[in-house]
Amino acid sequence: MAKTQLTSASLRSPNGVFSQATTIEATGRLVFVSGMTARRPDGSIAGVGDVREQTRQVCENVRAAVREAGGTLDDVCRVDVYVRNMEDFAAIHEIRAQFFHEPLPASTMVEVSKLAHPDYLIEISAIAVIP
């Protein structure tokens, strides 16, 4: 399976860890990862009040789900990111850059007023294609 990061001169370059679009020539399994939060396996919440630590735990959780399906984060072609404060954009992408590498997944990030628990600062869902 070849994942390709598309870049168009007709579009502004992304200012974060994502691509304008991603194409995949796929023969494989689609994996739809539900919104992952900063919950650790023991149920505790990582990094209460710390968006970097929460982002790290969320990325670890996404990785664990994709790994369980037989893939890696390199197989992720799309993420949707829900944040409590868009001012955290740079900090979130600083951590995302440690987990996602080119070709980068397509991504949408939106600010929301609430998540499922008041201590959550970020939630990420993902789509992966595993050959």
Side-chain angles (χ1 to χ4, degrees), residues 72-85:
T72 71
L73 288 179
D74 290 339
D75 298 314
V76 172
C77 57
R78 173 148 187 92
V79 296
D80 292 304
V81 183
Y82 307 92
V83 297
R84 294 286 306 280
N85 186 348

Side-chain angles (χ1 to χ4, degrees), residues 2-130:
K3 180 171 85 171
T4 305
Q5 182 173 322
L6 297 180
T7 303
S8 171
S10 300
L11 298 169
R12 183 177 179 274
S13 295
N15 61 347
V17 183
F18 60 95
S19 64
Q20 294 170 340
T22 303
T23 64
I24 297 186
E25 294 294 327
T27 303
R29 260 181 319 157
L30 290 172
V31 179
F32 297 88
V33 179
S34 294
M36 292 289 149
T37 63
R39 289 272 180 192
R40 295 181 185 109
D42 68 5
S44 64
I45 299 173
V48 173
D50 183 341
V51 74
R52 283 180 175 84
E53 279 308 306
Q54 285 206 6
T55 302
R56 186 178 320 285
Q57 185 65 53
V58 169
C59 289
E60 291 287 354
N61 292 348
V62 170
R63 178 167 39 202
V66 173
R67 185 180 294 143
E68 188 65 27
T72 71
L73 288 179
D74 290 339
D75 298 314
V76 172
C77 57
R78 173 148 187 92
V79 296
D80 292 304
V81 183
Y82 307 92
V83 297
R84 294 286 306 280
N85 186 348
M86 193 59 76
E87 301 300 317
D88 292 331
F89 184 92
I92 290 165
H93 280 269
E94 173 188 318
I95 303 303
R96 280 178 61 170
Q98 297 170 18
F99 289 87
F100 294 97
H101 308 101
E102 291 194 14
L104 294 166
S107 177
T108 297
M109 182 183 288
V110 296
E111 181 178 289
V112 297
S113 61
K114 294 181 182 179
L115 291 167
H117 188 282
D119 289 334
Y120 293 158
L121 302 175
I122 183 170
E123 182 171 330
I124 298 177
S125 62
I127 300 172
V129 179
I130 299 174

